[in-house]
Amino acid sequence: MSSEDVRPAPIKSTPMIQRVGIYTAVLLAGLLLGFVPMWVKARQCAGSLAESGHHLVLARMQSNLASAAIDARRGDYEPARQAASEFYTSLRAEADRGEASVLTQPQRAGVQPLFGQRDEIITLLARSDPASADRLSDLYASYRKIVGG
């Protein structure tokens, strides 16, 4: 065999389309490696935010009721009436939301009897009756027992 008979094998080059496909696949894999952890973190943050929002709604209702009780004790009946009215309005709104409510089913059932006292307490506050302070204190204790806060 002569040296002329032995030819080096031609170098096979990868077609351009195949190389672009490989580069695209590598790029997508890299993007997914970065996207998936961020997506998981975003979902965790969204869940945490929703839970914080639920706690905030409950805390605001409790704060309105506590403000009403304190104002009534101090003899500030009009601010107490407004705070009690806000409490009942927000409590009614949450109770009526059903499964979308921040209140659980047992809590929604537990707050239903509290609505029976609404008109009487608001009337006592409108009349500047000192008995309203005790009623609001009892209402506050009942609410905390039901909600667990």
Side-chain angles (χ1 to χ4, degrees):
M1 251 195 222
S2 69
S3 63
E4 293 177 17
D5 292 339
V6 178
R7 289 188 208 169
I11 300 174
K12 293 185 178 181
S13 63
T14 316
M16 182 69 147
I17 294 175
Q18 193 175 13
R19 275 190 273 160
V20 169
I22 291 171
Y23 294 147
T24 303
V26 169
L27 178 66
L28 286 175
L31 288 174
L32 283 176
L33 283 174
F35 174 74
V36 170
M38 295 302 292
W39 178 74
V40 169
K41 181 72 173 170
R43 286 191 48 109
Q44 289 172 344
C45 289
S48 178
L49 179 62
E51 185 178 339
S52 296
H54 291 215
H55 290 296
L56 178 62
V57 168
L58 293 173
R60 281 186 178 161
M61 286 191 292
Q62 184 174 336
S63 175
N64 282 336
L65 185 54
S67 293
I70 291 169
D71 286 341
R73 284 261 181 244
R74 295 182 62 217
D76 294 334
Y77 296 105
E78 183 56 24
R81 186 192 63 75
Q82 291 172 353
S85 181
E86 286 177 30
F87 165 75
Y88 275 114
T89 300
S90 58
L91 186 62
R92 172 56 69 195
E94 282 305 315
D96 289 347
R97 288 183 66 203
E99 294 300 318
S101 174
V102 298
L103 299 170
T104 63
Q105 177 57 38
Q107 289 172 336
R108 286 193 305 271
V111 299
Q112 291 304 319
L114 301 182
F115 293 117
Q117 305 172 32
R118 180 180 194 260
D119 292 338
E120 186 178 348
I121 289 175
I122 299 296
T123 301
L124 288 172
L125 289 167
R127 292 181 181 164
S128 301
D129 191 332
S132 61
D134 291 330
R135 297 293 303 273
L136 283 168
S137 294
D138 293 342
L139 177 63
Y140 180 79
S142 297
Y143 174 78
R144 288 214 32 195
K145 185 177 180 183
I146 292 166
V147 174

